[in-house]
Each structure stands twice: as structure tokens, then as C-alpha cells.
Amino acid sequence: MRANRVSISRLAEMSDISKATMQNYIYGMRDPRLSLCRRLVELTGIPFEELFKEK
């Protein structure tokens, strides 16, 4: 998962989850639920395909 111009802490705060949980999603240690994926797309304005692009 990518996070353009938004800190991990800020994304976690906006999503109402812990920073540690957000880090697990970003670094590929866990997969977020679809509902959180949709919320992140809404909050960031980054298209789903871009936000969750494979590295």
C-alpha cells in the first residue's frame, strides 16, 4: 500500500486505527479489510489501484 504525502500517523488517525496497525498494512504484514480500503480511498483521493499497487 502506498501513502502519498500523508504520514502513517495521520492516515491512522484519519482511519481511526492505531499507528502500528497502519504500519502493518503499509509494510504488507497484514491486509486491511475492504471497508478500510474504501475509506482510505475516500480520505486520500488516491485511486484504489494506485493506493494498493504492488511494489
Side-chain angles (χ1 to χ4, degrees):
M1 178 170 51
R2 289 185 43 206
N4 291 346
R5 295 178 286 241
V6 178
S7 72
I8 292 171
S9 296
R10 181 68 181 129
L11 266 179
E13 181 181 308
M14 291 167 48
S15 304
D16 198 31
I17 61 174
S18 73
K19 180 181 173 184
T21 298
M22 183 59 73
Q23 286 174 320
N24 286 337
Y25 295 152
I26 289 175
Y27 297 123
M29 300 174 87
R30 294 190 55 172
D31 293 324
R33 293 179 185 223
L34 184 56
S35 59
L36 177 60
C37 294
R38 288 184 181 136
R39 181 156 170 78
L40 290 171
V41 168
E42 289 175 12
L43 290 170
T44 63
I46 300 170
F48 184 88
E49 296 81 13
E50 183 68 19
L51 193 62
F52 297 96
K53 182 188 280 184
E54 293 286 327
K55 292 183 180 181

